[in-house]
Amino acid sequence: MFTCDCINPEIMKVLARCGHGSKVLIADGNYPLAEKTGDAYKVYLGLRKDLPTVTDVLKTLKSVINIEKAEVMIPGEYNPEPKGKNPVDAYLSADKQPGIFKEFKEITGLELYAWGRWAFYDAASDKVCLAISTGESRTFANILLTVGCA
């Protein structure tokens, strides 16, 4: 039997195939998962509004994998477009960030890296082994995780 929190057989099967550097997307219920995640294995968990939330799934995955990097989609237009190389704080002060970002930081213990909307869609289409859709209703509640070493 598993000793981690995740009991979903599809998710566990795909995570077992991931390696260091693989990407996992946890998306809100508004995210166009079918169109914007390429060949990633897709799991649709949303049952109803906010069940489960992205943070529910993130906490569960944290019990299964080490997370090396966390990237998020940020609101607004920027010149140049954020490309996941700079921290969110370089683009938005803490009071301007979506509230869920604080939760992401607390759960992962990591700094968040910023992507603009369209660049995030492109990033989530490349090298993503697992894409999970949730019932999350908060906007900008998408997080792209990089799997770390065991």
Side-chain angles (χ1 to χ4, degrees):
M1 294 302 295
F2 293 127
T3 58
C4 61
D5 294 339
C6 187
I7 61 169
N8 183 290
E10 287 181 281
I11 291 173
M12 292 300 289
K13 175 180 79 172
V14 178
L15 290 177
R17 293 180 181 162
C18 289
H20 182 215
S22 294
K23 301 278 187 171
V24 175
L25 171 68
I26 308 171
D28 61 37
N30 301 304
Y31 196 91
L33 203 71
E35 295 86 12
K36 301 289 186 191
T37 54
D39 294 331
Y41 189 91
K42 295 160 185 62
V43 176
Y44 294 88
L45 291 180
L47 181 61
R48 63 175 167 83
K49 183 179 177 182
D50 294 323
L51 186 63
T53 64
V54 168
T55 52
D56 290 333
V57 176
L58 179 58
K59 288 174 188 173
T60 301
L61 292 190
K62 188 153 178 4
S63 78
V64 181
I65 60 171
N66 287 320
I67 301 169
E68 179 175 287
K69 186 176 183 183
E71 301 163 276
V72 294
M73 177 193 299
I74 61 173
E77 297 295 324
Y78 300 91
N79 189 11
E81 177 88 355
K83 300 271 190 213
K85 295 182 174 126
N86 294 316
V88 168
D89 296 340
Y91 295 95
L92 298 171
S93 60
D95 62 319
K96 302 279 186 201
Q97 295 175 22
I100 197 167
F101 287 10
K102 182 179 178 189
E103 293 177 60
F104 287 165
K105 290 175 187 177
E106 289 171 356
I107 294 166
T108 64
L110 298 171
E111 187 167 39
L112 303 178
Y113 287 84
W115 288 95
R117 179 179 176 191
W118 302 109
F120 187 92
Y121 287 152
D122 290 343
S125 295
D126 187 37
K127 298 181 185 172
V128 174
C129 61
L130 175 61
I132 302 170
S133 178
T134 67
E136 182 72 64
S137 64
R138 291 177 283 184
T139 57
F140 296 97
N142 306 297
I143 187 165
L144 185 60
L145 308 172
T146 301
V147 177
C149 290

